[in-house]
Amino acid sequence: MDLLEYQGKQLFARHGLRVSSGEAVTTVKDAVRAADEVGYPVVVKAQVLIGGRGKAGGVKLAANAEEVREHATNILGMDIRGHTVRTLWIEHASDIASEYYASVLLDRSAKQPLVMFSVEGGVDIEEVAERAPEKLIRHHIDPLAGLSREEAVKIATDGGADGDVVEGVADALLALYEVWLAEDATLAEINPLIVTPAREVKALDAKVSLDGNALYRHPENQELSDSENEDPIERRAKEEGVQYVKLDGDIGILGNGAGLVMSTLDVVAQAGGSPANFLDAGGGSDAEKIKQAVRLILANDAVKAVLFNIFGGITRCDEVAKGLIAAFADIGEDGRSVPFVVRLDGTNDVQGRELLQQAALPNVYTARTMNEAAEKVVALAREQGVGARA
Ligand code: GDP
Ligand code: MN
């Protein structure tokens, strides 16, 4: 679960990292009011879940109300690489002497948290890692011992932080590690971590991802996911306890078991199609569950055809077929305009396909193998596409 900059900064502040005070707003009028309150000059910042906002024109300094009005008007509604700006963060502008970089993340291959630090911040850090890898300090942490002050000081020193701010940088690294650990984050990144002319060390940006599976331990963070920036269907799926991930294509994918769904994505891609989602209906086969899954998939307008891939084991294909028939009866005409290809294989697959054939559901096709199903669904999606344009 990714957080907007201002939400990340709220977590930072909770753990003693220095940030500028500010306010999140959604209208030009409120932007000006907030700017009047935090005091000029201010920065007007687009709140979207994507980096590089500055380059895209989504971060602007404003010296007075007139400039805030101008920038807020331009930035609200702006599209930053597919993300529409609905919220602005207005904060008191900082004077900058240096821009550093700091992050904490989980290095899965090392099975340890990794702290990174560089004095070349404010730019794309991948670029620094490539151009001058010695300028990016990478320090693994023993998860049982945690990050000690001595280590944090060494990271800052090795990275080349100015001598007079080594302690300040160490404080920031310790606080950032605490954010990462205490909030169950998977990533906590500050770019830039600035040094002001008054030699204060402060987070000017925040990129935080929280582990969704650990959210139950942080009821106070749960509301952060209610941001309007989240995909509404993903949010609904989460509420209904269904594994659903939205993708960019036009073929809805539904299967029982995460492994099967993943390989279905591959087979569809291989057949030249583009999956619209990942949906794991799980072990059960009851009509209610299938109905719910079918509804979720059809809620995505981009879906032109659906591949329903079931491998029967404990789940019996005839039960799945019954579930599907009941689901279709309930969903009605609207849903049926989207063609479904159903591949049933495994326990009772013959009976399952027979049931579907007897039901003669309009726009529902059966297939015996995964490849056959994938090719069929890709062809159907293409037809739909042509039909829609005609
Ligand atoms: P990003 O482009 O999405 O990473 O957004 P950032 O929050 O990192 O802002 C981009 C750049 O804008 C920073 O690297 C700074 O150079 C500049 N910037 C942001 N806030 C301030 C500020 O308060 N004062 C000044 N002088 N520059 C700022
Ligand atoms: Mn940044």
Side-chain angles (χ1 to χ4, degrees), residues 114-181:
L114 175 65
V115 176
M116 292 198 276
F117 174 71
S118 177
V119 293
E120 297 215 2
V123 295
D124 183 5
I125 200 66
E126 274 86 27
E127 194 258 325
V128 174
E130 203 149 289
R131 173 174 49 80
E134 75 285 355
K135 296 239 170 92
L136 180 64
I137 301 297
R138 297 162 51 91
H139 180 86
H140 284 102
I141 296 177
D142 176 340
L144 296 179
L147 176 65
S148 68
R149 167 156 278 279
E150 293 67 38
E151 277 174 292
V153 166
K154 185 167 186 317
I155 294 168
T157 311
D158 290 353
D162 290 343
D164 64 329
V165 291
V166 161
E167 292 295 329
V169 169
D171 285 337
L173 292 174
L174 287 164
L176 190 62
Y177 182 70
E178 191 189 298
V179 168
W180 183 84
L181 189 68

Side-chain angles (χ1 to χ4, degrees), residues 304-321:
K304 295 211 190 88
V306 177
L307 172 47
F308 193 174
N309 192 4
I310 295 294
F311 187 78
I314 296 170
T315 300
R316 291 162 44 196
C317 290
D318 54 333
E319 285 300 318
V320 174

Side-chain angles (χ1 to χ4, degrees), residues 53 191-192 205:
R53 295 164 300 162
N191 190 18
D205 193 4

Side-chain angles (χ1 to χ4, degrees), residues 196-213:
T196 67
R199 311 312 282 167
E200 268 186 355
V201 176
K202 179 163 154 184
L204 217 60
D205 193 4
K207 186 173 173 188
V208 177
S209 301
L210 299 178
D211 180 351
N213 292 323

